[in-house]
Amino acid sequence: MANTKYIFVTGGVTSSLGKGIIAASLAKLLQARGYRTTIQKLDPYINVDPGTLNPYEHGECYVTDDGAETDLDLGHYERFLNVPTSQANNVTTGRIYQSVIEKERRGEFLGKTVQVVPHITNEIKERIQILGKSGNYDIVITEIGGTVGDIESLPYIEAVRQLLWELGDDNGMVIHLTLVPYLSAAGELKTKPTQHSVKTLMESGIKADVLVCRTEHELSEELRHKLALFCNVKREAVIQSIDAKTIYDVPNLMLEERLDAVVMKKLNLVDEGTPALTTWNKFLTKLKNPKNEVTIGLIGKYVELQDSYKSILEAFIHAGAENEIKVKVESIHSEHIAEKTIAEKFKNLDGILVAPGFGDRGIEGKIRAVQYAREHNVPFLGICLGMQMAVIEFSRNVLGLDSANSTEMNPNTASPVINLMEAQKEVTDKGGTMRLGAWECELKEGSKVHDIYGKSMILERHRHRYEFNNDYKEKIENAGLIATGFNPKTGLVEIVELPSHPWFIGVQYHPEYKSTVANPHPLFVAFVKAALVHAEKKQNATMA
């Protein structure tokens, strides 16, 4: 294909309508038709990246192979497309302004007055086209965060207007996602919010080519015609996006609505019939027809907001489908885990996952959860901070190091079994300075993780400052907690496991970031399988 095609996805009426899922679903359909497709997210906030944001503010921070701390929507892109993203796939206002100011300081603007137009908009256009100009993609879908009319989004909308003009009719288009609310008092769906949203977009010089209408009820033919007429789009370009039981239904729903066909017609792409979603639909069949059920306790301190652990929850969906097991995730706040009530709270759990996090809030609850899993032979998976809590719990309760801790929680601990990495000791800036991105990990032959992965060298994504303290490695291993994964260059411990336990593994990295529909992460697959074995043992013991 000579020219890269660009699709822009904007939102109106309200946030959280699911622009990322619509973008990912469209990309999946275009990919299934043979087009090399990628998605990027333009975020209007002034933070350089979401790495310094509290999970309550913005959900989880998703990390790419190249170490970019990005928006959680990039996780959806990867889970749907099974193609890695990078720093180029997430752009923020903070990064745009930072780049423009640095250029001004270097004198690159030759003394010109630096303004939003053209300097900021030019920078945005450059960032949008980085992926397209790489030669790796036929189609680039760009999702613009926020809603039209937001002050923060105006430079992005203006940049899109200019770029559409520059690209020409067949090379760029706009999909506008809106809400068609149902008023129960009137007993009808209302189109007025969508009309106002499209009008706001047109005031910025952009005409929507496709309307995707989020709705709880079916859109009638009459209502679709009304939307097409008043919003100045073709009737075939009014697409219904009705509430779905799972986000993984959305590609099929968009296929039924012919979103991909409408897009291809607008971009003058060859339509060679219905795309094959064979693997995708096999996954959906297994997801919707489980043969067993397990309950996993997710122990975290941001559990009030499900998006804080989005990738973990999705990894359980993938692993559950692979095993034909329904995974019921029970979120448990680590601050609410007390010694007196833990047995009652945990008695129905078939597996325990201690989640990542930062800071000392709730860590004693996480340590109690690890102890319960270890002493009651409940399958355990600790991720990042969860792995560190496993090391601390073992050091305290098995080794007898009562003061064992991480220097993150207690800088003056007498037994720093988890310590700040040497490279981090001089770091003062918080943003983008952790150990980030994909790092190699060498697996010990004969270990459980070696069996799970089926190979000796793996590549997994990291996001942390503190590490297993190798000064304590010999003592800890002699007591029974074995280090079974190492970074070959630094010698840092990446994985610990307890051979005396049915399934007890802690990993310093984030396996959830690499789990996709097409490739469920092997650790999660094995963990869910172990949870089923435990559930069956409990059931047999009860029957006996």
Side-chain angles (χ1 to χ4, degrees), residues 215-250:
T215 176
E216 296 174 356
H217 301 270
E218 294 279 344
L219 301 184
S220 67
E221 184 56 41
E222 181 186 1
L223 194 138
R224 290 180 190 237
H225 181 78
K226 182 179 178 181
L227 282 166
L229 178 64
F230 289 169
C231 297
N232 200 28
V233 299
K234 292 180 179 178
R235 161 58 193 84
E236 66 184 28
V238 177
I239 305 293
Q240 169 184 284
S241 177
I242 201 160
D243 288 358
K245 288 183 179 178
T246 167
I247 58 172
Y248 300 108
D249 279 330
V250 180

Side-chain angles (χ1 to χ4, degrees), residues 29-230:
L29 294 176
L30 294 170
Q31 183 192 59
R33 288 178 176 274
Y35 293 105
R36 298 172 303 160
T37 310
T38 189
I39 321 171
Q40 63 181 175
K41 175 80 180 283
L42 306 185
D43 269 314
Y45 52 76
I46 300 176
N47 302 67
V48 172
D49 59 47
T52 54
L53 287 172
N54 187 307
Y56 287 131
E57 286 276 325
H58 204 69
E60 78 170 5
C61 174
Y62 187 81
V63 178
T64 59
D65 279 341
D66 63 350
E69 293 176 286
T70 70
D71 184 82
L72 61 81
D73 272 331
L74 269 72
H76 290 311
Y77 306 162
E78 289 200 12
R79 287 188 283 272
F80 275 57
L81 295 179
N82 200 39
V83 175
T85 54
S86 68
Q87 180 66 76
N89 292 79
N90 193 197
V91 179
T92 67
T93 295
R95 198 173 290 281
I96 293 290
Y97 274 83
Q98 185 183 55
S99 177
V100 169
I101 289 167
E102 286 172 354
K103 287 178 181 178
E104 185 273 334
R105 292 288 82 188
R106 292 195 297 267
E108 289 187 24
F109 298 125
L110 303 175
K112 292 279 188 184
T113 303
V114 180
Q115 297 174 288
V116 173
V117 180
H119 301 97
I120 297 297
T121 51
N122 283 348
E123 184 72 22
I124 293 169
K125 286 190 290 182
E126 275 182 38
R127 297 297 181 108
I128 289 172
Q129 294 178 93
I130 285 174
L131 291 165
K133 290 178 176 178
S134 69
N136 297 325
Y137 303 104
D138 303 316
I139 300 167
V140 176
I141 300 175
T142 302
E143 176 195 346
I144 299 172
T147 54
V148 293
D150 293 348
I151 290 172
E152 296 95 334
S153 299
L154 289 174
Y156 290 112
I157 297 296
E158 170 57 19
V160 169
R161 185 197 67 77
Q162 292 178 22
L163 195 52
L164 287 168
W165 183 82
E166 291 167 9
L167 290 169
D169 289 344
D170 292 340
N171 296 317
M173 65 177 292
V174 174
I175 296 173
H176 191 54
L177 183 64
T178 73
L179 177 68
V180 179
Y182 179 79
L183 297 187
S184 54
E188 61 181 340
L189 291 161
K190 289 293 184 181
T191 65
K192 192 62 73 176
T194 295
Q195 292 178 49
H196 281 301
S197 181
V198 170
K199 183 181 178 184
T200 302
L201 191 61
M202 291 182 77
E203 285 170 356
S204 300
I206 294 177
K207 176 188 175 298
D209 298 295
V210 175
L211 281 184
V212 176
C213 304
R214 288 284 286 112
T215 176
E216 296 174 356
H217 301 270
E218 294 279 344
L219 301 184
S220 67
E221 184 56 41
E222 181 186 1
L223 194 138
R224 290 180 190 237
H225 181 78
K226 182 179 178 181
L227 282 166
L229 178 64
F230 289 169

